[in-house]
Amino acid sequence: MTEFEPVIGLEIHVQLNTRTKMFCGCELSFGEEPNTRCCPTCLGLPGALPVVNAGAIHRGLMIGLALETELARRSVFHRKNYFYPDSPKAYQISQFDEPLCGPGRLGEVRIHRVHLEEDAAKLIHVGASGRIDGSDASIVDFNRCGTPLVEIVTEPDLRSAEQAREWLTLLRVTLRRLGVSDVNMDEGSLRCDANISLRPVGSTELGTKTELKNMNSFRFLERGVNAEIARQREILAAGEAVVQETLHFDPRTERITSLRSKEEAHDYRYFPEPDLVPVAISAEMLAAAKAAMPELPAARAERLETLGLSADSARLLAFRPELGDRFEEALASGDASPELAQPLANWLSNEDGAADAAPAALAAIVAMVEDKTVTRDAGREVLSRVVADGGDPRAIVEAEGLGAVGGDDELGPHVDAALAANPDVAEKLRGGDMKPVGVIVGHVMRETRGRADGGEVTRLVRQKLGL
Amino acid sequence: MIDRDQVLHVARLARLRLTDEEVDRMAGELSSILDHVERIEELDLEGVPATTHVIEVGNALRADEPRPSLPRDVVLAAAPATQDGGFLVPSPQAG
Amino acid sequence: MSSLTDLSAAAAAAAVNSGEIDAGELFEAYRERAAADDLNAFLWVAESPASPSDGPLGGVPLAVKDLFCTEGVPSQSGSKILEGYRPPYTATVVEQLARAGAPLLGKTNQDEFAMGSSNENSAFGPVLNPWDRSRVPGGSSGGSAAAVAAGLAPWALGTDTGGSIRQPAALCGIVGLKPTYGSVSRYGMIAFASSLDQAGPFGRDVTDVALLYRHMTGAPDPLDSTSVGHQHEIALPTAERLDGIRLGVPEELSGEGIEEGVLARFRETLALAESLGATVQPCRLPHAPHALSAYYLLAPAEASSNLARYDGVRYGLRKTDPAQPDDLLSMYTSTRHDGFGDEVKRRILIGTYALSSGYYDAYYGRAQQVRTKISEDFAAAFADVDLIVTPTTPSVAFELGAKTADPLEMYLNDFCTVPMSLAGIPALSIPCGLSEGLPVGLQLCGPAFSESRMLDAAYALEQAIGFQRTIPEAS
Ligand SMILES: [Mg+2]
Ligand SMILES: [Zn+2]
C-alpha cells in the first residue's frame, strides 16, 4: 500500500501591540465595554477615511527582519471585499500583490510572505433564547475592529502535526522576544490556520490541500492537524480524491466539518485601496526597525550552546527569555565560572524559586553546591531564604551553620558514632550486606542536621569496615 | 454583453435583491453600457502601467498616538437595532 | 440700496469685515431665501449660524452639498438608504470653512451618491433649473449650483467626480471649480469614487470661487492620506488681459457630439481670448475619446466597494424580508434593494462585474492603463500650451426626463469633463453666453496645482464676456 506523507503550511494572524488601531486613533481594547473604542473610521461611517499607523509598519518590519524576509521598498494596501456583520465597510483593508515582506525563513520553515491588515469586529451570538422575541441574533462589538494584524504565511515545509506545533512555538517566542505582540492563543492575539495535503512518500508534487481554520490552542493545532491527516489518509487509501475546501476542527468532538456554505465561492474582488497611498519604506524606518531588534531565540539558543549548555537547556532558556536573562546575569556574576553554566541552567529550569532569586545569589548557591561547600538540600534551603528575605547566601550558610560536614576528619567521628550506636547494622554491613547502610546515613544526617553528604557517608562506612 | 445569469451572479456578490423586471431591464442597460466601455479593448496598452493614484503622495503615516473614541451612545445613535451596548443583527450562523 | 443678497460673496465678506453690514442680517437674508426655496435645491436649512462670523469669510453663509458630513445635521448623499442620517462628525473642509467664517446655511440636494448628471437621481426629488424650471440644473451637485444661480446662497460646496461641479455650473450659468485631486480633504465626504472625488467651490463669479477655494485648501489633512493641500496660498484674480497665455483647443473635445449653439459661444469666447492677447492653438488629447469608457469602469468599481457599507447594520435604512425576518442575507439584499435607486444599482452592478474574478484585467486593470495614457496626453499637451479650453458640456440644460430612459446618453454629458477627472488636474467652468436663452459653459483646465493661474485667466475672460446673470423671473 502507498505510504503517504503530510505536507503542511501555516497561515498565522498576529495582533500587534500598538497603542492605537491600524487605521484610526482609537486605542486597542482589552475587555472594555462593547463599542467604547470606536470612531467614524473603525465603524465604517460614511465619509470616514483610514490612515496607516506608523507603529504597525515598524512592528511589521521588525517581524520581517526576524523572519529574514525580503522587505519591500514599496508596499500597497488592497481592499478585500466581502459582506459580514463583523466587517463594517464590507471590505477588509489588507495587502495583495505588494505585501510588506516577501520570502524569508524561520528555522527549517520558509516564509512565503508577511503582510499587514486589520482585524474584524467581534460577534456575540445571543441565540434565540437571549432575545425577547425569540429570534436568532448576534450582537456586534466594534472594539476589536481595526486592531492591527500581521498575517504570516509559510511555505508547505512542515511534515507532521508535532513539527507544526514545535515550529509555531518557535514563532511565538520569536514574536514575544520582539515585543510586537502578546502572542496569546487563548486571547486570540495569535491565531493559526493550517493548509494540509498528503502525497505519496518520495513524490515532490503537492496533493490537493484543505484549509483547517482557527485552531485556538497549541494542543488543538496538533490534534486538529492529526485528525485532518487521518481523514485524508482514509480518503486516499480508499482510492478517492480529497476535495479542496475550508474545514473547521471542533476540539470538543475532535470532528472536522466543512465550512463551505450554499453560497457561491468567495470572490473578494481585490483592488488597490484608493483611500491609502503606497507605503515607501525609507532608510530611516528600516534603521529604526533594525535598531529595535533584540537577539532572537534561535540565535540565542545557538550562542548559549557555545557556553557549554546542552541543546535542550539552551533552547529552553532561549525560548523563555526571562529565564535566559537570569541565566546570563547569574553566569556573569563574581561567583560564577564557565563550568557552572549547565548546573545554573538546571537550577533555573528545575528548582522552584531559582528564577526569583537575585541572579548573583543564585550563582553563589549553585557554586557552593557544586564545590560541596553545602549539600544540595542545604542549597535549596538557602535559596528559599534568599527568595523570602534576601541576603548573602554565604553569610546565611555561615550564620546558620549550614556548611557541609565533609572530609574524613569531620565526618569520620560521626560515622564511628553511628556504627557504634547500631551494632547489629554494623554486623550486617561487615558481612557484606550493604542494604541497611541507610540506617547509618540517616543517623549521621540526624546528628549533622542534614549537612552531610549521603554518598560521602557510605564511602566512609566502606572504608572503615574495610569493604 | 451581460446576460441575466451574470446579472444575477453579480447582484448576489453585491448583496442586491433584484426583481425579475429589474434583472431584465438591468441586463439590457448594462449590456449597452458595457458595449460602449469595451471600446477600450481597441487600444494597444501593452506595457502601460496602471494608475491607482493620480497625484504622487509621499508616505502618509500616522504616529501611533491615541485620539478620543466616540461615546457609546453616539456610536449606537443611528443603529436600526441595538441590544446590550451592541448592534443587533440577524445571526450569520442561523439557517 | 440693493438687497444684501445682491452682493457677491467676496463683496459681502468685505462689507461685514469693514462693519458696513451685519453678518447676522446677511445670514438671515439668505436663510429666508433658502427656506422659501421652490427649486428643491435645499434638503435642510439652518435656523441660525452655528459658527462665528469672524474670519476672512466674514460670516457669509455657505450652502453645502448633502454628501458632506455635518455633525447632527442630515447628511444623506441624496439617498433613501441614508434618509435622516445625522453623522457624529463634520467633514474637514466644512469645519475649515466654518473656522474661516463661513457658517453652514443648509444642505443641498444632489444625485444619489453623486451619481448622475441631472439631479434626477436624488431620492428627494429633482432640482429645477432656475433658468427654466422644466429643465435640469445638471448634476450631481445640482442643488448647490441651482441655489447659487438663483441667489438662494452666496456660494456653495459641491463635489466633482467626473464633472459634477463643472457640468451643473455650466447649466446654471455660474462658476464652478474642480480643484487638483488631493488639494481639498475628502475626510467626511460620503464617497462615490475615492480616486476621483474632489470637493470644490461654486460661486456667482470667479473671485468668489477663488476666495472660497483659498480657504478650502492649504495644509494636507492628517485624516486623509491622499490629501496634499496647496503649497502656495490661492491668489485672488486680478488679470485684465491674457498676453502670452497659450490656450490649447483639443479637437477631440471641441467638435463632434457638441451642440451647435454651444460651439458657437465657444468659438466666440476663443476670439475674445485672442483679443485679450492669448494665442489659441490646436492641441491633441488622443485618448480623450476613451476617457468616458475608463471612467465608467473605474468609478463604478470603486463605488461598488464604497457603497457596500450600507448594509442596515450600523446606520441608515434596514429592511427585512417579512417572510424571513431573522435571515441576515435577506436583510442585506432587501435593505440594499429598497435603499438604493436605479442608477446606484446599475453602477454597483457594473463595478462589481468589473472587479469580479476573471474580468478584472479586461475591465478595471485596462481602465487604469487608459488613465495613465490620459495623464500622459495632458502632460504632453501642457508642454506646448498653458491652459486647455473646451466647452464644459455638449449641450445646454435639457428637459427633465429627457435622458432618464437611456443611461448611456446621460453619461455622455460628462464627455468633456471626465478626462480632467481621470488626470486629477484642475478645471473650472465659467459662463460664456447663452444659447436658446440658456447658459453655456466654458471649461478651462491646467496642470496640477495651477489653480491660481487658471483662476486669473478665467477672471480676465469673465470681465470680457460680461455674462448677464439675470435669470428670468419664475412665472
Ligand atoms: Mg488575513
Ligand atoms: Zn477608530
mmCIF file of all heavy atoms in Angstrom, chain A residues 160-180:
data_model
loop_
_atom_site.group_PDB
_atom_site.id
_atom_site.type_symbol
_atom_site.label_atom_id
_atom_site.label_comp_id
_atom_site.label_asym_id
_atom_site.label_seq_id
_atom_site.Cartn_x
_atom_site.Cartn_y
_atom_site.Cartn_z
ATOM 1 N N SER A 160 4.653 17.174 9.892
ATOM 2 C CA SER A 160 3.831 16.497 10.890
ATOM 3 C C SER A 160 3.197 17.530 11.800
ATOM 4 O O SER A 160 3.639 18.686 11.859
ATOM 5 C CB SER A 160 4.686 15.541 11.739
ATOM 6 O OG SER A 160 5.509 16.292 12.610
ATOM 7 N N ALA A 161 2.141 17.097 12.484
ATOM 8 C CA ALA A 161 1.462 17.987 13.423
ATOM 9 C C ALA A 161 2.396 18.411 14.546
ATOM 10 O O ALA A 161 2.387 19.558 14.983
ATOM 11 C CB ALA A 161 0.230 17.288 13.991
ATOM 12 N N GLU A 162 3.219 17.466 15.001
ATOM 13 C CA GLU A 162 4.149 17.764 16.088
ATOM 14 C C GLU A 162 5.133 18.844 15.645
ATOM 15 O O GLU A 162 5.442 19.771 16.382
ATOM 16 C CB GLU A 162 4.918 16.502 16.511
ATOM 17 C CG GLU A 162 4.044 15.367 17.046
ATOM 18 C CD GLU A 162 3.164 14.711 15.981
ATOM 19 O OE1 GLU A 162 3.560 14.658 14.794
ATOM 20 O OE2 GLU A 162 2.043 14.270 16.323
ATOM 21 N N GLN A 163 5.626 18.669 14.410
ATOM 22 C CA GLN A 163 6.583 19.646 13.891
ATOM 23 C C GLN A 163 5.911 21.022 13.747
ATOM 24 O O GLN A 163 6.512 22.047 14.042
ATOM 25 C CB GLN A 163 7.127 19.180 12.537
ATOM 26 C CG GLN A 163 8.357 19.944 12.100
ATOM 27 C CD GLN A 163 8.683 19.704 10.620
ATOM 28 O OE1 GLN A 163 7.964 19.001 9.915
ATOM 29 N NE2 GLN A 163 9.786 20.287 10.177
ATOM 30 N N ALA A 164 4.645 21.019 13.329
ATOM 31 C CA ALA A 164 3.919 22.280 13.183
ATOM 32 C C ALA A 164 3.799 22.978 14.536
ATOM 33 O O ALA A 164 4.019 24.177 14.666
ATOM 34 C CB ALA A 164 2.529 22.027 12.596
ATOM 35 N N ARG A 165 3.495 22.187 15.540
ATOM 36 C CA ARG A 165 3.361 22.746 16.875
ATOM 37 C C ARG A 165 4.699 23.288 17.371
ATOM 38 O O ARG A 165 4.779 24.398 17.900
ATOM 39 C CB ARG A 165 2.857 21.654 17.806
ATOM 40 C CG ARG A 165 2.713 22.099 19.221
ATOM 41 C CD ARG A 165 2.456 20.910 20.125
ATOM 42 N NE ARG A 165 2.512 21.361 21.506
ATOM 43 C CZ ARG A 165 1.695 20.938 22.446
ATOM 44 N NH1 ARG A 165 0.774 20.055 22.161
ATOM 45 N NH2 ARG A 165 1.805 21.403 23.668
ATOM 46 N N GLU A 166 5.748 22.515 17.181
ATOM 47 C CA GLU A 166 7.092 22.952 17.582
ATOM 48 C C GLU A 166 7.473 24.259 16.906
ATOM 49 O O GLU A 166 7.980 25.185 17.526
ATOM 50 C CB GLU A 166 8.125 21.894 17.153
ATOM 51 C CG GLU A 166 8.219 20.716 18.068
ATOM 52 C CD GLU A 166 9.093 21.046 19.264
ATOM 53 O OE1 GLU A 166 10.312 21.219 19.054
ATOM 54 O OE2 GLU A 166 8.549 21.159 20.374
ATOM 55 N N TRP A 167 7.196 24.281 15.607
ATOM 56 C CA TRP A 167 7.611 25.468 14.850
ATOM 57 C C TRP A 167 6.796 26.691 15.268
ATOM 58 O O TRP A 167 7.321 27.785 15.401
ATOM 59 C CB TRP A 167 7.460 25.226 13.338
ATOM 60 C CG TRP A 167 7.979 26.396 12.570
ATOM 61 C CD1 TRP A 167 9.279 26.659 12.248
ATOM 62 C CD2 TRP A 167 7.225 27.509 12.083
ATOM 63 N NE1 TRP A 167 9.389 27.850 11.587
ATOM 64 C CE2 TRP A 167 8.135 28.404 11.470
ATOM 65 C CE3 TRP A 167 5.865 27.839 12.100
ATOM 66 C CZ2 TRP A 167 7.733 29.601 10.879
ATOM 67 C CZ3 TRP A 167 5.473 29.037 11.522
ATOM 68 C CH2 TRP A 167 6.398 29.900 10.917
ATOM 69 N N LEU A 168 5.513 26.485 15.511
ATOM 70 C CA LEU A 168 4.682 27.609 15.937
ATOM 71 C C LEU A 168 5.169 28.131 17.298
ATOM 72 O O LEU A 168 5.103 29.332 17.562
ATOM 73 C CB LEU A 168 3.209 27.184 16.013
ATOM 74 C CG LEU A 168 2.224 28.343 16.187
ATOM 75 C CD1 LEU A 168 2.249 29.281 14.985
ATOM 76 C CD2 LEU A 168 0.802 27.842 16.406
ATOM 77 N N THR A 169 5.678 27.214 18.125
ATOM 78 C CA THR A 169 6.260 27.639 19.401
ATOM 79 C C THR A 169 7.468 28.544 19.161
ATOM 80 O O THR A 169 7.627 29.583 19.802
ATOM 81 C CB THR A 169 6.691 26.410 20.224
ATOM 82 O OG1 THR A 169 5.582 25.528 20.317
ATOM 83 C CG2 THR A 169 7.153 26.817 21.603
ATOM 84 N N LEU A 170 8.302 28.131 18.216
ATOM 85 C CA LEU A 170 9.464 28.960 17.886
ATOM 86 C C LEU A 170 9.017 30.330 17.388
ATOM 87 O O LEU A 170 9.562 31.364 17.787
ATOM 88 C CB LEU A 170 10.333 28.256 16.828
ATOM 89 C CG LEU A 170 11.459 29.099 16.224
ATOM 90 C CD1 LEU A 170 12.475 29.489 17.301
ATOM 91 C CD2 LEU A 170 12.169 28.350 15.095
ATOM 92 N N LEU A 171 7.986 30.338 16.527
ATOM 93 C CA LEU A 171 7.492 31.617 16.015
ATOM 94 C C LEU A 171 6.964 32.472 17.164
ATOM 95 O O LEU A 171 7.245 33.666 17.260
ATOM 96 C CB LEU A 171 6.382 31.391 14.985
ATOM 97 C CG LEU A 171 5.762 32.682 14.444
ATOM 98 C CD1 LEU A 171 6.762 33.449 13.589
ATOM 99 C CD2 LEU A 171 4.496 32.409 13.640
ATOM 100 N N ARG A 172 6.240 31.825 18.063
ATOM 101 C CA ARG A 172 5.650 32.605 19.155
ATOM 102 C C ARG A 172 6.721 33.231 20.045
ATOM 103 O O ARG A 172 6.645 34.405 20.381
ATOM 104 C CB ARG A 172 4.717 31.743 20.003
ATOM 105 C CG ARG A 172 4.030 32.621 21.052
ATOM 106 C CD ARG A 172 2.974 31.891 21.812
ATOM 107 N NE ARG A 172 3.563 30.850 22.639
ATOM 108 C CZ ARG A 172 2.973 30.357 23.700
ATOM 109 N NH1 ARG A 172 1.792 30.799 24.059
ATOM 110 N NH2 ARG A 172 3.541 29.413 24.392
ATOM 111 N N VAL A 173 7.725 32.426 20.410
ATOM 112 C CA VAL A 173 8.758 33.016 21.288
ATOM 113 C C VAL A 173 9.547 34.079 20.551
ATOM 114 O O VAL A 173 9.995 35.063 21.145
ATOM 115 C CB VAL A 173 9.701 31.947 21.880
ATOM 116 C CG1 VAL A 173 8.917 31.010 22.772
ATOM 117 C CG2 VAL A 173 10.458 31.190 20.816
ATOM 118 N N THR A 174 9.677 33.900 19.244
ATOM 119 C CA THR A 174 10.389 34.922 18.461
ATOM 120 C C THR A 174 9.607 36.234 18.498
ATOM 121 O O THR A 174 10.165 37.301 18.755
ATOM 122 C CB THR A 174 10.575 34.432 17.009
ATOM 123 O OG1 THR A 174 11.303 33.202 17.036
ATOM 124 C CG2 THR A 174 11.317 35.451 16.179
ATOM 125 N N LEU A 175 8.287 36.145 18.276
ATOM 126 C CA LEU A 175 7.462 37.357 18.274
ATOM 127 C C LEU A 175 7.399 37.972 19.671
ATOM 128 O O LEU A 175 7.415 39.185 19.840
ATOM 129 C CB LEU A 175 6.052 37.048 17.760
ATOM 130 C CG LEU A 175 5.985 36.558 16.314
ATOM 131 C CD1 LEU A 175 4.559 36.159 15.954
ATOM 132 C CD2 LEU A 175 6.481 37.632 15.347
ATOM 133 N N ARG A 176 7.356 37.100 20.676
ATOM 134 C CA ARG A 176 7.311 37.611 22.045
ATOM 135 C C ARG A 176 8.612 38.355 22.351
ATOM 136 O O ARG A 176 8.609 39.417 22.953
ATOM 137 C CB ARG A 176 7.107 36.463 23.022
ATOM 138 C CG ARG A 176 7.093 36.924 24.461
ATOM 139 C CD ARG A 176 6.490 35.898 25.362
ATOM 140 N NE ARG A 176 5.049 35.785 25.155
ATOM 141 C CZ ARG A 176 4.330 34.762 25.582
ATOM 142 N NH1 ARG A 176 4.908 33.761 26.216
ATOM 143 N NH2 ARG A 176 3.031 34.743 25.371
ATOM 144 N N ARG A 177 9.719 37.753 21.906
ATOM 145 C CA ARG A 177 11.015 38.391 22.137
ATOM 146 C C ARG A 177 11.076 39.750 21.439
ATOM 147 O O ARG A 177 11.665 40.699 21.954
ATOM 148 C CB ARG A 177 12.131 37.465 21.620
ATOM 149 C CG ARG A 177 13.532 37.963 21.893
ATOM 150 C CD ARG A 177 13.770 38.048 23.374
ATOM 151 N NE ARG A 177 15.156 38.402 23.691
ATOM 152 C CZ ARG A 177 15.551 38.831 24.881
ATOM 153 N NH1 ARG A 177 14.661 38.955 25.858
ATOM 154 N NH2 ARG A 177 16.803 39.125 25.110
ATOM 155 N N LEU A 178 10.455 39.830 20.258
ATOM 156 C CA LEU A 178 10.440 41.104 19.533
ATOM 157 C C LEU A 178 9.619 42.145 20.284
ATOM 158 O O LEU A 178 9.789 43.342 20.091
ATOM 159 C CB LEU A 178 9.835 40.935 18.131
ATOM 160 C CG LEU A 178 10.658 40.184 17.086
ATOM 161 C CD1 LEU A 178 9.841 40.062 15.808
ATOM 162 C CD2 LEU A 178 11.966 40.898 16.809
ATOM 163 N N GLY A 179 8.701 41.669 21.128
ATOM 164 C CA GLY A 179 7.855 42.595 21.876
ATOM 165 C C GLY A 179 6.807 43.263 21.005
ATOM 166 O O GLY A 179 6.347 44.357 21.308
ATOM 167 N N VAL A 180 6.403 42.614 19.916
ATOM 168 C CA VAL A 180 5.456 43.241 18.993
ATOM 169 C C VAL A 180 4.024 42.778 19.212
ATOM 170 O O VAL A 180 3.095 43.311 18.613
ATOM 171 C CB VAL A 180 5.850 42.976 17.525
ATOM 172 C CG1 VAL A 180 7.197 43.618 17.207
ATOM 173 C CG2 VAL A 180 5.882 41.481 17.231
#
